[in-house]
Amino acid sequence: MQAPTPPRLLPPIPPLVRLLVCGVMLAAIAYLVGTWSTPAAPTPDAPQVEATVVAPDLDRGLLAQVADTSRDQRLQLETEPLRHLLRLAIDVGPTVAAALGMPAEPVPLATVRADLAKWRGRWIWYEGELVDLSGPRPGHPIDGYSIYEATIRLTDGEHAIAAFSMPPEPTIQKGSWVRIEGYLLKLRDTTYPLDLRAVPMLVGRAIQRDYEDWGPVRQLDPAVMAKVEDTSFWPQDPMWRTIEEDQGEPLWHLAAFARDTAGDRTFAEWRRIGILNAADLFETFKAGELLRGTPLRIIGTLIRRTTVAAPANPAGIKFWTVALVQVREWGGALVPIWVPKRVGDLPMQAQLEVRGLYYRRFAYEAKTGKRHFVPLFVAADLDRYELATDPAMRQVGLALAGVLTGLMLLFWWGTRRSSRETQEHQREMDARRRRRRERRAATRSSTSTSN
């Protein structure tokens, strides 16, 4: 007699359970692949000082004392509102100006005159030829400062006036092309030295030298880039300069070159360019052998992004975006990237593959007190990281998908076979029990009959 099939330890697996097991297996494989390809990056060693912008609070009550609806009113200059704005403007640099909502372009004078209530107290700017400069004169609300006043002629022949606190540079003379910016105080009339009617008067910090536009920059000038200073690591030396402190010809030149040649290389060509994350790049940078303007890709996580208004410059740059990118291979240090424009919405922790040009060495002190020096890059934009899939990787993916499909089919076939065997064994056991009960019943029946 053939021995019965031994019973299985597990009951038959329902189809729904098998489907759930397959789903769990696929999820586990996807999770392992994802975590394997993007390992966790170290905690960034952020700079010690967090950039915080506090916009000054205007005293609207004082500004309400300003009157400029008639010529007599425009000939007068209200002292207390002027002193109030001079006091606030002394601390307004490019970063604060951006926080105040300074427009990207000069506001047309017709727009200001048509809705003066809207623009009074707003931080705006104009550029033009300096036609009159006076000062210093007393009356400044802060000790040690004086009041200066400038009148400029705009490109359309209109005029604008500015009162400011900082002495103008010696190179700024009548006939210079300059930029004025500040809080709009009122519309002003003057009789001497110019007869002006209803021109905007701004109250700012300083008058700035403006420049004739360069036009497109298609080639780097080694002589300009040789002016960069970053050899000393001591605090307050050039290596520690921030974006506000480093405004000059080399930065403008490199930024304009990055912007104007951004479309010269295709995505595939950039992928053949070196990557900052490579191990040998650290030693090259540390030895000072990384040439200024060297194109490199920077792959990392966006940790911080701020935007500041650009001062007057010949490259036509209106805003700077300062990004700090955590590069895993640099041990948690943050690599700064300066972009000569306002970058659109980009979430923090976004994965980036920035196509940058090396500018100089940059030093900062972290919250832990540790000092870092890292490469500083200039880039045309902050590009998201896109995983490229070449034909070889696609073949590997197809092969892996085939193997996973085979394993799932094998698992399904095995569970189905096991279920069938278990059901067959169960039917055999049920038949044996029936036969045993029938024999017992027949035996009891024959015994009772014989009795």
Side-chain angles (χ1 to χ4, degrees):
M1 182 178 178
Q2 184 179 2
T5 303
R8 298 195 177 271
L9 297 176
L10 295 176
I13 302 177
L16 180 59
V17 175
R18 293 199 300 271
L19 184 61
L20 290 175
V21 171
C22 291
V24 171
M25 289 179 61
L26 286 175
I29 292 172
Y31 173 77
L32 290 175
V33 171
T35 55
W36 179 29
S37 60
T38 56
T43 302
D45 204 355
Q48 184 177 16
V49 180
E50 183 81 20
T52 302
V53 179
V54 179
D57 292 327
L58 293 174
D59 189 335
R60 293 293 175 180
L62 276 178
L63 292 184
Q65 301 176 11
V66 176
D68 50 8
T69 56
S70 67
R71 177 166 173 78
D72 288 341
Q73 293 173 341
R74 292 193 296 270
L75 287 169
Q76 301 298 319
L77 187 59
E78 293 82 359
T79 303
E80 288 308 313
L82 172 64
R83 289 169 56 87
H84 172 63
L85 294 183
L86 284 169
R87 184 183 295 108
L88 296 183
I90 198 70
D91 295 323
V92 178
T95 303
V96 180
L100 290 172
M102 182 179 69
E105 301 293 337
V107 182
L109 267 60
T111 302
V112 173
R113 291 165 179 154
D115 194 356
L116 191 57
K118 172 185 175 181
W119 292 101
R120 195 186 310 277
R122 291 280 302 274
W123 189 275
I124 59 177
W125 65 280
Y126 294 99
E127 63 180 359
E129 179 189 355
L130 181 63
V131 294
D132 186 61
L133 180 64
S134 62
R137 62 181 175 84
H140 200 284
I142 302 177
D143 292 340
Y145 290 94
S146 300
I147 302 175
Y148 298 83
E149 191 169 303
T151 303
I152 66 172
R153 182 185 296 113
L154 311 183
T155 54
D156 59 1
E158 292 270 17
H159 292 78
I161 299 174
F164 52 96
S165 307
M166 307 298 295
E169 298 178 4
T171 57
I172 296 179
Q173 303 290 335
K174 290 183 180 180
S176 299
W177 194 261
V178 296
R179 168 171 168 160
I180 59 173
E181 59 180 63
Y183 294 104
L184 177 62
L185 174 63
K186 66 181 298 182
L187 295 180
R188 189 94 160 89
D189 283 8
T190 63
T191 57
Y192 180 83
L194 298 171
D195 184 10
L196 301 179
R197 304 294 179 96
V199 299
M201 180 175 184
L202 312 183
V203 181
R205 182 175 185 270
I207 187 172
Q208 304 175 39
R209 177 71 181 270
D210 210 339
Y211 306 86
E212 182 179 355
D213 288 344
W214 282 338
V217 178
R218 308 291 305 178
Q219 187 173 358
L220 277 182
D221 187 343
V224 174
M225 300 312 300
K227 299 177 182 179
V228 179
E229 299 180 7
D230 63 350
T231 56
S232 175
F233 189 59
W234 293 101
Q236 310 305 321
D237 281 354
M239 195 184 296
W240 295 77
R241 293 192 303 267
T242 63
I243 185 72
E244 292 89 351
E245 299 165 338
D246 198 18
Q247 295 295 313
E249 185 182 11
L251 176 61
W252 300 334
H253 181 66
L254 184 61
F257 176 75
R259 177 196 61 199
D260 298 338
T261 61
D264 290 358
R265 291 189 178 96
T266 65
F267 181 79
E269 289 172 338
W270 268 104
R271 280 291 168 93
R272 292 194 291 269
I273 288 177
I275 183 172
L276 179 67
N277 307 59
D280 57 340
L281 254 298
F282 179 78
E283 296 300 328
T284 302
F285 165 72
K286 188 176 180 181
E289 299 174 355
L290 192 58
L291 297 179
R292 306 192 196 283
T294 300
L296 284 173
R297 291 180 294 129
I298 305 101
I299 298 178
T301 304
L302 179 62
I303 301 300
R304 188 180 306 157
R305 184 187 77 247
T306 56
T307 300
V308 300
N313 63 85
I317 300 169
K318 304 301 183 184
F319 292 92
W320 288 97
T321 294
V322 179
L324 296 179
V325 176
Q326 180 189 0
V327 179
R328 182 177 63 247
E329 288 77 6
W330 287 67
L334 301 178
V335 174
I337 300 172
W338 294 352
V339 181
K341 70 173 187 177
R342 185 194 295 273
V343 175
D345 293 337
L346 197 62
M348 295 299 103
Q349 304 299 318
Q351 297 301 309
L352 303 180
E353 181 180 5
V354 182
R355 306 161 197 179
L357 303 177
Y358 173 64
Y359 176 43
R360 65 171 174 87
R361 293 189 289 181
F362 181 82
Y364 72 89
E365 184 171 325
K367 296 178 181 179
T368 59
K370 182 179 179 181
R371 293 177 178 176
H372 298 273
F373 81 98
V374 294
L376 167 60
F377 289 87
V378 173
D381 205 345
L382 300 177
D383 305 298
R384 285 180 177 270
Y385 178 73
E386 297 178 1
L387 182 61
T389 306
D390 57 23
M393 290 301 297
R394 285 196 293 268
Q395 292 177 3
V396 171
L398 291 174
L400 182 59
V403 171
L404 292 177
T405 303
L407 289 175
M408 292 178 61
L409 290 175
L410 183 61
F411 175 76
W412 174 79
W413 178 79
T415 54
R416 183 178 181 184
R417 179 182 177 185
S418 174
S419 176
R420 287 181 176 178
E421 291 178 352
T422 302
Q423 292 176 2
E424 183 65 26
H425 177 73
Q426 189 66 38
R427 284 194 294 268
E428 290 179 1
M429 293 296 295
D430 291 341
R432 291 179 61 188
R433 293 190 188 96
R434 267 195 317 273
R435 290 194 296 270
R436 189 179 299 114
R437 287 195 299 269
E438 291 174 356
R439 286 196 298 270
R440 289 175 181 172
T443 302
R444 284 196 298 270
S445 176
S446 62
T447 303
S448 60
T449 301
S450 61
N451 290 336

